C-alpha cells in the first residue's frame, strides 16, 4: 500500500493502530495480579520476582526512542511491524517459562514493543487527512489508558480461574493479530529520510543513562535511598547523560535532536508530560490498595483483585470516550489549552478524593475524573510535539515524549512508595500504609496535576510552518493556540 492520504481509509487505520496500542498497554498490567504469587510460581525470592516488572520498564525506556528514530529513517509502518515481533516472542517466552530468568527475558522482550503507540501516532500524521488528524491522535493516545484498564480485570479473571500461562498465550495471539492487521490495512506513510547512519553511540549512551536512572528510581526503596548502589546509579546516570547530550549536540545525525527538543514548545511540552505521567500513575498506586485492604483497617474496602480491576476499568473507558471532546477542544482553542484543562481535571479528581475516599463508588468517581483528565492531556501532547518539529522527525520526537511520560510514572512510583512506606499503621502485627499516607499521596498527585496545568498554559506555541510550509501546515493549524 502506498502512503497517499487520498487512498487511505482513516477509520480503519485508526482502529487498527488503536487496537495495537491497547494490546501493548495490556502488557504493562498483565503481571499485576501475579506479583504476589510469582515467587512461588517461579521458585524464586520476592526480590528477584520484582524484576519481572522492572525488566519491562527498562527495556521499554531504551527501545522507545530507538524505535522512533528508526521509524523516521526506514519508515514508520516498517518499525511498527518490527515492534510487534518482540511482543509476540516475549509473550511466548513467558508462557513457556518455569523459572525467573526466562520470565524476565520474556518481559524484557515485551518492553521492546512499547514503541507501538508513538510510532502509530506519528504514522497518523502521514496518512490521515488534516481535518481528522486531531481526533485520530486523541483516540490513539487514549488506547494506552483503555489497555491498562482492561488488562487488569482480564488478567485477574484469568489468574483466579485458570492457569496463569493462559495470560501470555492470549497476548501472544493478540499481538500476532495486530501484526497481520498492520501488514494488511495500514499504509506505509511518508518514506524514510533515506539516511542510513544510525547513531549507535547515542543509543548506547541513552540506554545506559536511562537504565542507571530508572534502576535507581525503581529499586531505591528496596536497596535504600542512601545505599552505595542507589547513589552510584544516580551519579552514573547524571554523568552518562551529560556525556550523551554532548555527543548528541556534536554528531551530525543524532538519535535525539536536542536542538529541536530545546525549543520552548517542545521543552515545556515534555516537562508537562513528565508531570502528567506522574499525576496519572500516582492514583493507580493508591486506589487499588484502598480497594483491596481489609475493611477491618477502618479505611480499606475489602475488594478482591478481580473486583478491584472491574471498579477501575471505567476510568480507562472514560479516556476513550472523551477523546473526541479533547480533539474538538484542541481544534477550537489549541492543544495547549486541552493539555492545561486535562491537567486541571486530574488535579480536581485528586482533590475530590479527600471527600470520596471512603467508598467504592467514591473511588470510582475519583478514577473516572482523573482518567478523563489524562485522556484530554494524552491526546494533546502528540499534537503539540508534531506541531513543533519537522515531519521527518515526527516519530523520534513523539517517542522521546513518550519516554518523558514514562520517567514521570517511574518517579511517581518511587515518591508514592516512599510516602506510603513512611506513613504506616500496625494491623495485626503487619505494617500497612495508613489512611494519612494515602491522603498525603493523593494530595501530592493533586499538586503535581496543578503544576502540570500551569506549565501547559505557559507553553509558547510556534508552528514550524515557516521552516517547512508545505508539509507542516496541517499540523500547524492543529496547534495554534
Amino acid at each position: 500500500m502506498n502512503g497517499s492520504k487520498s487512498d487511505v481509509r482513516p477509520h480503519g487505520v485508526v482502529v487498527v493502530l488503536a487496537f495495537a496500542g491497547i494490546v501493548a498497554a495490556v502488557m504493562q498490567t498483565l503481571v499485576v495480579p501475579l506479583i504476589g504469587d510469582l515467587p512461588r510460581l517461579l521458585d524464586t525470592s520476592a526480590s528477584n520476582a520484582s524484576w519481572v516488572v522492572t525488566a519491562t520498564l527498562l527495556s521499554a525506556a531504551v527501545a522507545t526512542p530507538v524505535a522512533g528514530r528508526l521509524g523516521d529513517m526506514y519508515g514508520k509502518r516498517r518499525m511498527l511491524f518490527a515492534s510487534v515481533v518482540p511482543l509476540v516472542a516475549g509473550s511466548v517466552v513467558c508462557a513457556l517459562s518455569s523459572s525467573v530468568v526466562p520470565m524476565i527475558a520474556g518481559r524484557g522482550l515485551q518492553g521492546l514493543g512499547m514503541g507501538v503507540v508513538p510510532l502509530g501516532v506519528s504514522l497518523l500524521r502521514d496518512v490521515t487527512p488534516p481535518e481528522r488528524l486531531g481526533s485520530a491522535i486523541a483516540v490513539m493516545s487514549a488506547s494506552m489508558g483503555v489497555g491498562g484498564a482492561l488488562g487488569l480485570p482480564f488478567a485477574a479473571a484469568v489468574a483466579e480461574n485458570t492457569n496463569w500461562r493462559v495470560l501470555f498465550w492470549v497476548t501472544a495471539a493478540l499481538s500476532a493479530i495486530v501484526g497481520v492487521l498492520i501488514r494488511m490495512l495500514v499504509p506505509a506513510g511518508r518514506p524514510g529520510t533515506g539516511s542510513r547512519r544510525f547513531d549507535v553511540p547515542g543509543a548506547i549512551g541513552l540506554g545506559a543513562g536511562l537504565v542507571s536512572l530508572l534502576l535507581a528510581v525503581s529499586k531505591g526503596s528496596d536497596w535504600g535511598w542512601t545505599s552505595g548502589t542507589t547513589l552510584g546509579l544516580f551519579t552514573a546516570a547524571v554523568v552518562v547523560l551529560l556525556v550523551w547530550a554532548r555527543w548528541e549536540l556534536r554528531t551530525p545525525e543524532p538519535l535525539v535532536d536536542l536542538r529541536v527538543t530545546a525549543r520552548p514548545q517542545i521543552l515545556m511540552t515534555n516537562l508537562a508530560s513528565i508531570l502528567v505521567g506522574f499525576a496519572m500513575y500516582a492514583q493507580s498506586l493508591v486506589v487499588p490498595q484502598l480497594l483491596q485492604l481489609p475493611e477491618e483497617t477502618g479505611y480499606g474496602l475489602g475488594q478482591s483483585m478481580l473486583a478491584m480491576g472491574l471498579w477501575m476499568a471505567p476510568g480507562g473507558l472514560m479516556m476513550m470516550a472523551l477523546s473526541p471532546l479533547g480533539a474538538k477542544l484542541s481544534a477550537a482553542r489549541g492543544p495547549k489549552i486541552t493539555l492545561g484543562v486535562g491537567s486541571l481535571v486530574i488535579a480536581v479528581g485528586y482533590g475530590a478524593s479527600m471527600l470520596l475516599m471512603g467508598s467504592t463508588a467514591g473511588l470510582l468517581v475519583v478514577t473516572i475524573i482523573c482518567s478523563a483528565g489524562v485522556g484530554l492531556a494524552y491526546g494533546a501532547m502528540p499534537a503539540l510535539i508534531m506541531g513543533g518539529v519537522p515531519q521527518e522527525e515526527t516519530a523520534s520526537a513523539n517517542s522521546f515524549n513518550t519516554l518523558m511520560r514514562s520517567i514521570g510514572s517511574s518517579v511517581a512510583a518511587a515518591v508514592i512508595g516512599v510516602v506510603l512506606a513512611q506513613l504506616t499503621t500496625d494491623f495485626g502485627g503487619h505494617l500497612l500504609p495508613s489512611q494519612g499516607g494515602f491522603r498525603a499521596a493523593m494530595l501530592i498527585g493533586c499538586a503535581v496535576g496543578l503544576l502540570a496545568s500551569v506549565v501547559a498554559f505557559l507553553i509558547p506555541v510556534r508552528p514550524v510552518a515557516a521552516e517547512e510550509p508545505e508539509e507542516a501546515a496541517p499540523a500547524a493549524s492543529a496547534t495554534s493556540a
Side-chain angles (χ1 to χ4, degrees), residues 412-452:
V415 171
I416 301 304
V418 168
V419 170
L420 296 182
Q422 293 298 316
L423 301 175
T424 60
T425 184
D426 185 273
F427 179 73
H430 299 281
L431 288 180
L432 297 177
S434 66
Q435 186 176 31
F438 287 122
R439 289 183 176 274
M442 296 299 265
L443 287 174
I444 291 172
C446 181
V448 173
L450 289 173
L451 181 58

mmCIF file of all heavy atoms in Angstrom, residues 412-452:
data_model
loop_
_atom_site.group_PDB
_atom_site.id
_atom_site.type_symbol
_atom_site.label_atom_id
_atom_site.label_comp_id
_atom_site.label_asym_id
_atom_site.label_seq_id
_atom_site.Cartn_x
_atom_site.Cartn_y
_atom_site.Cartn_z
ATOM 1 N N ALA A 412 6.895 8.804 40.026
ATOM 2 C CA ALA A 412 5.696 8.701 40.861
ATOM 3 C C ALA A 412 5.724 7.435 41.693
ATOM 4 O O ALA A 412 5.408 7.449 42.892
ATOM 5 C CB ALA A 412 4.442 8.735 39.988
ATOM 6 N N ALA A 413 6.119 6.327 41.072
ATOM 7 C CA ALA A 413 6.180 5.067 41.810
ATOM 8 C C ALA A 413 7.139 5.167 42.984
ATOM 9 O O ALA A 413 6.851 4.666 44.088
ATOM 10 C CB ALA A 413 6.609 3.941 40.867
ATOM 11 N N ALA A 414 8.284 5.829 42.753
ATOM 12 C CA ALA A 414 9.268 5.969 43.827
ATOM 13 C C ALA A 414 8.762 6.895 44.930
ATOM 14 O O ALA A 414 8.835 6.561 46.123
ATOM 15 C CB ALA A 414 10.586 6.496 43.255
ATOM 16 N N VAL A 415 8.238 8.055 44.549
ATOM 17 C CA VAL A 415 7.792 9.047 45.543
ATOM 18 C C VAL A 415 6.612 8.518 46.351
ATOM 19 O O VAL A 415 6.602 8.589 47.591
ATOM 20 C CB VAL A 415 7.423 10.368 44.850
ATOM 21 C CG1 VAL A 415 6.761 11.330 45.831
ATOM 22 C CG2 VAL A 415 8.660 11.011 44.241
ATOM 23 N N ILE A 416 5.596 7.996 45.651
ATOM 24 C CA ILE A 416 4.423 7.486 46.367
ATOM 25 C C ILE A 416 4.805 6.286 47.219
ATOM 26 O O ILE A 416 4.293 6.102 48.331
ATOM 27 C CB ILE A 416 3.307 7.113 45.372
ATOM 28 C CG1 ILE A 416 2.909 8.340 44.545
ATOM 29 C CG2 ILE A 416 2.095 6.565 46.111
ATOM 30 C CD1 ILE A 416 2.472 9.536 45.342
ATOM 31 N N GLY A 417 5.731 5.466 46.713
ATOM 32 C CA GLY A 417 6.201 4.328 47.500
ATOM 33 C C GLY A 417 6.843 4.765 48.804
ATOM 34 O O GLY A 417 6.611 4.164 49.859
ATOM 35 N N VAL A 418 7.661 5.821 48.755
ATOM 36 C CA VAL A 418 8.298 6.337 49.968
ATOM 37 C C VAL A 418 7.256 6.878 50.935
ATOM 38 O O VAL A 418 7.303 6.613 52.148
ATOM 39 C CB VAL A 418 9.315 7.434 49.600
ATOM 40 C CG1 VAL A 418 9.772 8.182 50.846
ATOM 41 C CG2 VAL A 418 10.517 6.832 48.891
ATOM 42 N N VAL A 419 6.287 7.636 50.413
ATOM 43 C CA VAL A 419 5.242 8.219 51.273
ATOM 44 C C VAL A 419 4.462 7.117 51.992
ATOM 45 O O VAL A 419 4.244 7.168 53.212
ATOM 46 C CB VAL A 419 4.290 9.104 50.439
ATOM 47 C CG1 VAL A 419 3.072 9.512 51.271
ATOM 48 C CG2 VAL A 419 5.013 10.335 49.943
ATOM 49 N N LEU A 420 4.044 6.109 51.242
ATOM 50 C CA LEU A 420 3.244 5.041 51.841
ATOM 51 C C LEU A 420 4.074 4.179 52.784
ATOM 52 O O LEU A 420 3.542 3.605 53.746
ATOM 53 C CB LEU A 420 2.620 4.171 50.743
ATOM 54 C CG LEU A 420 1.619 4.880 49.819
ATOM 55 C CD1 LEU A 420 1.041 3.903 48.807
ATOM 56 C CD2 LEU A 420 0.507 5.545 50.611
ATOM 57 N N ALA A 421 5.375 4.082 52.519
ATOM 58 C CA ALA A 421 6.238 3.298 53.407
ATOM 59 C C ALA A 421 6.519 4.028 54.714
ATOM 60 O O ALA A 421 6.749 3.392 55.753
ATOM 61 C CB ALA A 421 7.546 2.971 52.696
ATOM 62 N N GLN A 422 6.522 5.351 54.674
ATOM 63 C CA GLN A 422 6.821 6.136 55.866
ATOM 64 C C GLN A 422 5.595 6.334 56.754
ATOM 65 O O GLN A 422 5.720 6.407 57.979
ATOM 66 C CB GLN A 422 7.388 7.506 55.458
ATOM 67 C CG GLN A 422 8.743 7.449 54.796
ATOM 68 C CD GLN A 422 9.813 6.878 55.702
ATOM 69 O OE1 GLN A 422 9.901 7.228 56.872
ATOM 70 N NE2 GLN A 422 10.630 5.978 55.157
ATOM 71 N N LEU A 423 4.435 6.455 56.148
ATOM 72 C CA LEU A 423 3.204 6.705 56.906
ATOM 73 C C LEU A 423 2.425 5.396 56.988
ATOM 74 O O LEU A 423 1.642 5.058 56.106
ATOM 75 C CB LEU A 423 2.369 7.800 56.231
ATOM 76 C CG LEU A 423 3.072 9.156 56.083
ATOM 77 C CD1 LEU A 423 2.213 10.140 55.303
ATOM 78 C CD2 LEU A 423 3.422 9.725 57.456
ATOM 79 N N THR A 424 2.655 4.653 58.059
ATOM 80 C CA THR A 424 2.091 3.309 58.182
ATOM 81 C C THR A 424 1.292 3.165 59.478
ATOM 82 O O THR A 424 1.352 4.019 60.374
ATOM 83 C CB THR A 424 3.201 2.242 58.154
ATOM 84 O OG1 THR A 424 4.098 2.476 59.253
ATOM 85 C CG2 THR A 424 3.978 2.304 56.845
ATOM 86 N N THR A 425 0.575 2.060 59.548
ATOM 87 C CA THR A 425 -0.158 1.711 60.758
ATOM 88 C C THR A 425 0.004 0.215 61.003
ATOM 89 O O THR A 425 0.196 -0.561 60.062
ATOM 90 C CB THR A 425 -1.652 2.071 60.614
ATOM 91 O OG1 THR A 425 -2.336 1.805 61.851
ATOM 92 C CG2 THR A 425 -2.314 1.255 59.501
ATOM 93 N N ASP A 426 -0.052 -0.187 62.269
ATOM 94 C CA ASP A 426 0.080 -1.596 62.614
ATOM 95 C C ASP A 426 -1.281 -2.276 62.540
ATOM 96 O O ASP A 426 -2.256 -1.829 63.140
ATOM 97 C CB ASP A 426 0.639 -1.742 64.035
ATOM 98 C CG ASP A 426 0.905 -3.204 64.386
ATOM 99 O OD1 ASP A 426 -0.041 -3.862 64.866
ATOM 100 O OD2 ASP A 426 2.024 -3.678 64.149
ATOM 101 N N PHE A 427 -1.339 -3.370 61.763
ATOM 102 C CA PHE A 427 -2.591 -4.111 61.625
ATOM 103 C C PHE A 427 -2.291 -5.588 61.820
ATOM 104 O O PHE A 427 -1.722 -6.243 60.949
ATOM 105 C CB PHE A 427 -3.212 -3.874 60.240
ATOM 106 C CG PHE A 427 -4.497 -4.611 60.011
ATOM 107 C CD1 PHE A 427 -5.669 -4.207 60.638
ATOM 108 C CD2 PHE A 427 -4.549 -5.723 59.174
ATOM 109 C CE1 PHE A 427 -6.858 -4.885 60.438
ATOM 110 C CE2 PHE A 427 -5.719 -6.410 58.966
ATOM 111 C CZ PHE A 427 -6.891 -5.997 59.602
ATOM 112 N N GLY A 428 -2.619 -6.080 63.002
ATOM 113 C CA GLY A 428 -2.385 -7.494 63.299
ATOM 114 C C GLY A 428 -0.925 -7.894 63.220
ATOM 115 O O GLY A 428 -0.604 -9.005 62.786
ATOM 116 N N GLY A 429 -0.042 -6.981 63.603
ATOM 117 C CA GLY A 429 1.386 -7.281 63.552
ATOM 118 C C GLY A 429 2.035 -6.987 62.212
ATOM 119 O O GLY A 429 3.238 -7.210 62.048
ATOM 120 N N HIS A 430 1.260 -6.491 61.249
ATOM 121 C CA HIS A 430 1.795 -6.146 59.931
ATOM 122 C C HIS A 430 1.674 -4.641 59.722
ATOM 123 O O HIS A 430 0.656 -4.024 60.061
ATOM 124 C CB HIS A 430 1.033 -6.876 58.822
ATOM 125 C CG HIS A 430 1.126 -8.362 58.908
ATOM 126 N ND1 HIS A 430 2.230 -9.061 58.474
ATOM 127 C CD2 HIS A 430 0.257 -9.292 59.393
ATOM 128 C CE1 HIS A 430 2.045 -10.354 58.674
ATOM 129 N NE2 HIS A 430 0.852 -10.521 59.235
ATOM 130 N N LEU A 431 2.714 -4.044 59.150
ATOM 131 C CA LEU A 431 2.673 -2.616 58.835
ATOM 132 C C LEU A 431 1.986 -2.404 57.496
ATOM 133 O O LEU A 431 2.393 -2.973 56.476
ATOM 134 C CB LEU A 431 4.086 -2.033 58.807
ATOM 135 C CG LEU A 431 4.795 -1.881 60.153
ATOM 136 C CD1 LEU A 431 6.189 -1.297 59.951
ATOM 137 C CD2 LEU A 431 3.987 -0.993 61.099
ATOM 138 N N LEU A 432 0.950 -1.592 57.499
ATOM 139 C CA LEU A 432 0.224 -1.252 56.273
ATOM 140 C C LEU A 432 0.240 0.257 56.099
ATOM 141 O O LEU A 432 0.337 1.008 57.080
ATOM 142 C CB LEU A 432 -1.233 -1.731 56.359
ATOM 143 C CG LEU A 432 -1.480 -3.233 56.474
ATOM 144 C CD1 LEU A 432 -2.970 -3.496 56.625
ATOM 145 C CD2 LEU A 432 -0.925 -3.959 55.270
ATOM 146 N N PRO A 433 0.155 0.745 54.861
ATOM 147 C CA PRO A 433 0.030 2.194 54.662
ATOM 148 C C PRO A 433 -1.187 2.719 55.405
ATOM 149 O O PRO A 433 -2.263 2.109 55.395
ATOM 150 C CB PRO A 433 -0.141 2.322 53.141
ATOM 151 C CG PRO A 433 0.466 1.080 52.573
ATOM 152 C CD PRO A 433 0.201 0.002 53.578
ATOM 153 N N SER A 434 -1.016 3.836 56.070
ATOM 154 C CA SER A 434 -2.103 4.408 56.863
ATOM 155 C C SER A 434 -3.031 5.236 55.990
ATOM 156 O O SER A 434 -2.698 5.591 54.846
ATOM 157 C CB SER A 434 -1.531 5.287 57.979
ATOM 158 O OG SER A 434 -0.885 6.421 57.409
ATOM 159 N N GLN A 435 -4.185 5.568 56.536
ATOM 160 C CA GLN A 435 -5.111 6.435 55.813
ATOM 161 C C GLN A 435 -4.474 7.794 55.544
ATOM 162 O O GLN A 435 -4.639 8.378 54.472
ATOM 163 C CB GLN A 435 -6.402 6.609 56.605
ATOM 164 C CG GLN A 435 -7.483 7.388 55.857
ATOM 165 C CD GLN A 435 -8.785 7.444 56.636
ATOM 166 O OE1 GLN A 435 -8.783 7.448 57.867
ATOM 167 N NE2 GLN A 435 -9.902 7.503 55.931
ATOM 168 N N GLY A 436 -3.707 8.287 56.528
ATOM 169 C CA GLY A 436 -2.998 9.554 56.323
ATOM 170 C C GLY A 436 -1.984 9.462 55.196
ATOM 171 O O GLY A 436 -1.791 10.414 54.446
ATOM 172 N N GLY A 437 -1.339 8.296 55.050
ATOM 173 C CA GLY A 437 -0.405 8.107 53.953
ATOM 174 C C GLY A 437 -1.087 8.170 52.601
ATOM 175 O O GLY A 437 -0.586 8.796 51.659
ATOM 176 N N PHE A 438 -2.248 7.521 52.500
ATOM 177 C CA PHE A 438 -2.990 7.557 51.236
ATOM 178 C C PHE A 438 -3.450 8.976 50.919
ATOM 179 O O PHE A 438 -3.413 9.415 49.764
ATOM 180 C CB PHE A 438 -4.184 6.612 51.302
ATOM 181 C CG PHE A 438 -3.818 5.157 51.232
ATOM 182 C CD1 PHE A 438 -4.181 4.277 52.243
ATOM 183 C CD2 PHE A 438 -3.086 4.662 50.161
ATOM 184 C CE1 PHE A 438 -3.849 2.937 52.180
ATOM 185 C CE2 PHE A 438 -2.739 3.320 50.085
ATOM 186 C CZ PHE A 438 -3.119 2.457 51.106
ATOM 187 N N ARG A 439 -3.903 9.697 51.927
ATOM 188 C CA ARG A 439 -4.336 11.082 51.703
ATOM 189 C C ARG A 439 -3.164 11.958 51.251
ATOM 190 O O ARG A 439 -3.301 12.778 50.347
ATOM 191 C CB ARG A 439 -4.966 11.655 52.976
ATOM 192 C CG ARG A 439 -6.329 11.065 53.307
ATOM 193 C CD ARG A 439 -6.946 11.728 54.529
ATOM 194 N NE ARG A 439 -8.289 11.225 54.772
ATOM 195 C CZ ARG A 439 -9.392 11.707 54.190
ATOM 196 N NH1 ARG A 439 -9.290 12.724 53.362
ATOM 197 N NH2 ARG A 439 -10.566 11.188 54.466
ATOM 198 N N ALA A 440 -2.009 11.761 51.892
ATOM 199 C CA ALA A 440 -0.830 12.546 51.505
ATOM 200 C C ALA A 440 -0.442 12.243 50.054
ATOM 201 O O ALA A 440 -0.105 13.157 49.286
ATOM 202 C CB ALA A 440 0.331 12.227 52.445
ATOM 203 N N ALA A 441 -0.506 10.964 49.655
ATOM 204 C CA ALA A 441 -0.165 10.594 48.282
ATOM 205 C C ALA A 441 -1.120 11.245 47.280
ATOM 206 O O ALA A 441 -0.692 11.740 46.231
ATOM 207 C CB ALA A 441 -0.205 9.073 48.134
ATOM 208 N N MET A 442 -2.403 11.270 47.610
ATOM 209 C CA MET A 442 -3.380 11.877 46.700
ATOM 210 C C MET A 442 -3.202 13.400 46.634
ATOM 211 O O MET A 442 -3.385 14.010 45.573
ATOM 212 C CB MET A 442 -4.799 11.527 47.140
ATOM 213 C CG MET A 442 -5.126 10.032 47.068
ATOM 214 S SD MET A 442 -4.995 9.333 45.412
ATOM 215 C CE MET A 442 -6.705 9.454 44.871
ATOM 216 N N LEU A 443 -2.834 14.018 47.740
ATOM 217 C CA LEU A 443 -2.581 15.461 47.724
ATOM 218 C C LEU A 443 -1.347 15.795 46.886
ATOM 219 O O LEU A 443 -1.298 16.830 46.216
ATOM 220 C CB LEU A 443 -2.423 15.989 49.156
ATOM 221 C CG LEU A 443 -3.719 16.074 49.975
ATOM 222 C CD1 LEU A 443 -3.412 16.467 51.416
ATOM 223 C CD2 LEU A 443 -4.701 17.070 49.342
ATOM 224 N N ILE A 444 -0.346 14.922 46.934
ATOM 225 C CA ILE A 444 0.826 15.110 46.073
ATOM 226 C C ILE A 444 0.404 15.045 44.609
ATOM 227 O O ILE A 444 0.816 15.867 43.788
ATOM 228 C CB ILE A 444 1.905 14.057 46.383
ATOM 229 C CG1 ILE A 444 2.516 14.314 47.761
ATOM 230 C CG2 ILE A 444 3.003 14.060 45.306
ATOM 231 C CD1 ILE A 444 3.446 13.215 48.228
ATOM 232 N N GLY A 445 -0.434 14.065 44.262
ATOM 233 C CA GLY A 445 -0.937 13.971 42.900
ATOM 234 C C GLY A 445 -1.696 15.205 42.485
ATOM 235 O O GLY A 445 -1.577 15.681 41.345
ATOM 236 N N CYS A 446 -2.486 15.762 43.404
ATOM 237 C CA CYS A 446 -3.227 16.999 43.117
ATOM 238 C C CYS A 446 -2.275 18.149 42.830
ATOM 239 O O CYS A 446 -2.465 18.897 41.866
ATOM 240 C CB CYS A 446 -4.133 17.326 44.311
ATOM 241 S SG CYS A 446 -5.126 18.820 44.102
ATOM 242 N N ALA A 447 -1.244 18.293 43.660
ATOM 243 C CA ALA A 447 -0.279 19.376 43.472
ATOM 244 C C ALA A 447 0.462 19.244 42.142
ATOM 245 O O ALA A 447 0.660 20.238 41.424
ATOM 246 C CB ALA A 447 0.714 19.399 44.629
ATOM 247 N N VAL A 448 0.852 18.023 41.792
ATOM 248 C CA VAL A 448 1.567 17.809 40.535
ATOM 249 C C VAL A 448 0.641 18.088 39.351
ATOM 250 O O VAL A 448 1.062 18.657 38.341
ATOM 251 C CB VAL A 448 2.137 16.373 40.473
ATOM 252 C CG1 VAL A 448 2.739 16.091 39.104
ATOM 253 C CG2 VAL A 448 3.194 16.179 41.551
ATOM 254 N N GLY A 449 -0.631 17.697 39.460
ATOM 255 C CA GLY A 449 -1.587 18.000 38.402
ATOM 256 C C GLY A 449 -1.749 19.503 38.194
ATOM 257 O O GLY A 449 -1.799 19.987 37.056
ATOM 258 N N LEU A 450 -1.815 20.256 39.292
ATOM 259 C CA LEU A 450 -1.913 21.716 39.186
ATOM 260 C C LEU A 450 -0.665 22.304 38.535
ATOM 261 O O LEU A 450 -0.748 23.205 37.696
ATOM 262 C CB LEU A 450 -2.122 22.327 40.575
ATOM 263 C CG LEU A 450 -3.496 22.102 41.217
ATOM 264 C CD1 LEU A 450 -3.496 22.610 42.658
ATOM 265 C CD2 LEU A 450 -4.589 22.807 40.415
ATOM 266 N N LEU A 451 0.502 21.802 38.922
ATOM 267 C CA LEU A 451 1.749 22.281 38.332
ATOM 268 C C LEU A 451 1.799 21.975 36.834
ATOM 269 O O LEU A 451 2.228 22.811 36.030
ATOM 270 C CB LEU A 451 2.936 21.647 39.052
ATOM 271 C CG LEU A 451 4.337 22.077 38.574
ATOM 272 C CD1 LEU A 451 4.506 23.580 38.696
ATOM 273 C CD2 LEU A 451 5.413 21.346 39.371
ATOM 274 N N ALA A 452 1.349 20.781 36.448
ATOM 275 C CA ALA A 452 1.306 20.423 35.033
ATOM 276 C C ALA A 452 0.398 21.370 34.257
ATOM 277 O O ALA A 452 0.698 21.759 33.127
ATOM 278 C CB ALA A 452 0.821 18.978 34.869
#
